[in-house]
Amino acid sequence: MNDLSFAVPLWAWAAVTLGIGVMLAVDLIAHRDSHVIGFREATIWSGVWIAIGLGFGLVLLAWQGGEASSTYYAGYLIEKALSIDNVFVFALVFSFFAVPDAYQHKVLFWGVIGALAARLVFIFVGVELLEAFFWTAYLFGAFLIWTGWKMAVSKDEEVHPDRNPIVRLVKRLIPTDPKFHGDRFFIRVDGKRIATLLLVVLVAVEATDLIFAVDSVAAVLAITTNTFLVWTANAFAVLGLRSLYFCLAGLLRRFAYLHYGLAVLLAFAGVKLILSETPVGKLPIPLTLGVITVTITVSIAWSLIATRDRPPSPGVRGRPSEPGEGDARRAAVASRRPGAPHDTDTP
């Protein structure tokens, strides 16, 4: 597969890794008191993360030129768009387990660390496969097209976090208290270490994100197999996922048709990846950027216009009540993803 290639010294990898670590540390310190994150605070942090992500593209522009920068921006945009779909599922997980608002940030923080680790592994494995076996481009491409089709036609599939095999395995292997104990993942009872319900929630978030990681990494690999660009596009998009969740959690009903746009992007990435191993070759980056930008803009605008009279969804967040309560509510939580057109009258 012919692709953009440039030498990335170890110091550059080290600098990016250190920068990501520092940003995570700053975010952890800023929210160490497990307070409820409001819309204003989430918006400010989202602005910070987006500015950092866009600013890194300017660093690439000065360092490696316009092609590297535009390739990064294409990967960053598609990752940012796909991360909105993560928010839908995270909202369902938090609602299903009735996670108090004050504890959601801690779950998302450690969830992001796990997401970064998973994506790093998938990136290097995916790049090696694409470079070693040309036919894997057809497999990845077909997978993306199938995922896009499934996203478009299966929007109303039920999601049951407690049925996830990884979550069930954790419950089977680790003694678990079915209640929240503050923001702790583990407690000690009679000298024994026992997991809390919050750890189960974290495992559910990590397990669902693994599916998104495969989709998103494959989508960016359709744009470039340059490991540095794929990694930085993924990393800077995922870093803002926590703030994005708190920005959008109450507005998910308004994104009723966004899934169609995401489906188009995944299918487009699949076609692009397949074409890269044909006489057509890789599609130009300006075309890719244009398709991504137009698709995201149209799907979001379509959603907001079509749902302009629809109130924000009250049921996608956790609850501010005391930990350990809410079993009846958990049983009554709707299993459909917020934002589906038919959910207009669903409380």
Side-chain angles (χ1 to χ4, degrees):
M1 173 183 286
N2 296 324
D3 197 20
L4 174 66
S5 178
F6 55 86
V8 181
L10 285 177
W11 65 262
W13 281 97
V16 169
T17 303
L18 178 61
I20 291 173
V22 169
M23 287 183 281
L24 286 171
V26 169
D27 190 49
L28 180 62
I29 294 173
H31 301 94
R32 63 186 180 277
D33 57 349
S34 296
H35 65 280
V36 177
I37 297 179
F39 179 79
R40 181 175 180 274
E41 181 181 358
T43 302
I44 292 174
W45 276 101
S46 290
V48 170
W49 296 124
I50 291 174
I52 291 173
L54 296 178
F56 186 76
L58 298 179
V59 172
L60 283 172
L61 177 64
W63 178 33
Q64 293 294 337
E67 186 177 2
S69 179
S70 58
T71 300
Y72 163 81
Y73 279 130
Y76 176 80
L77 282 177
I78 198 169
E79 280 299 307
K80 207 66 178 174
L82 290 173
S83 68
I84 297 177
D85 210 46
N86 291 52
V87 171
F88 281 106
V89 178
F90 293 165
L92 280 174
V93 172
F94 288 149
S95 290
F96 184 90
F97 291 104
V99 182
D101 291 353
Y103 307 155
Q104 292 176 6
H105 183 275
K106 183 173 182 178
V107 173
L108 290 174
F109 174 83
W110 292 106
V112 164
I113 292 180
L116 289 172
R119 280 163 172 76
L120 188 60
V121 173
F122 290 161
I123 287 168
F124 281 96
V125 172
V127 169
E128 288 298 320
L129 287 174
L130 287 171
E131 292 182 349
F133 307 103
F134 75 93
W135 47 265
T136 55
Y138 302 134
L139 292 180
F140 285 176
F143 170 74
L144 286 171
I145 294 172
W146 174 80
T147 303
W149 174 82
K150 193 171 184 294
M151 179 178 290
V153 303
S154 305
K155 180 115 184 350
D156 299 333
E157 281 191 348
E158 294 186 350
V159 178
H160 299 280
D162 59 331
R163 296 182 186 176
N164 186 288
I166 300 179
V167 174
R168 295 171 69 178
L169 179 63
V170 168
K171 285 185 174 181
R172 183 176 300 177
L173 296 178
I174 304 176
T176 304
D177 188 319
K179 295 180 181 179
F180 295 106
H181 293 266
D183 64 351
R184 290 180 291 176
F185 292 125
F186 293 94
I187 58 173
R188 286 196 175 275
V189 178
D190 297 330
K192 295 182 179 179
R193 199 181 193 198
I194 297 178
T196 68
L197 185 58
L198 197 65
L199 180 69
V200 176
V201 175
L202 175 60
V203 172
V205 167
E206 294 282 18
T208 54
D209 184 72
L210 282 176
I211 302 173
F212 289 111
V214 175
D215 292 346
S216 60
V217 169
V220 180
L221 288 176
I223 298 173
T224 179
T225 54
N226 184 299
T227 52
F228 186 75
L229 294 180
V230 177
W231 164 240
T232 51
N234 269 270
F236 285 111
V238 170
L239 278 176
L241 186 58
R242 301 175 307 289
S243 299
L244 183 65
Y245 169 80
F246 290 104
C247 277
L248 301 181
L251 303 173
L252 293 182
R253 281 176 172 266
R254 299 294 308 278
F255 294 94
Y257 303 105
L258 178 64
H259 66 291
Y260 291 122
L262 299 180
V264 169
L265 289 181
L266 287 173
F268 172 72
V271 171
K272 189 176 187 298
L273 193 55
I274 291 173
L275 290 178
S276 68
E277 292 297 342
T278 68
V280 176
K282 292 186 70 68
L283 299 180
I285 291 299
L287 173 62
T288 301
L289 266 174
V291 170
I292 294 172
T293 303
V294 170
T295 302
I296 295 173
T297 302
V298 170
S299 59
I300 290 179
W302 180 22
S303 296
L304 294 179
I305 292 173
T307 61
R308 58 185 176 275
D309 297 325
R310 183 180 300 178
S313 173
V316 297
R317 297 291 296 272
R319 46 103 169 99
S321 56
E322 290 300 317
E325 301 176 356
D327 291 338
R329 178 185 172 184
R330 279 196 291 275
V333 170
S335 58
R336 295 179 185 274
R337 182 192 303 179
H342 71 278
D343 283 346
T344 305
D345 299 323
T346 302

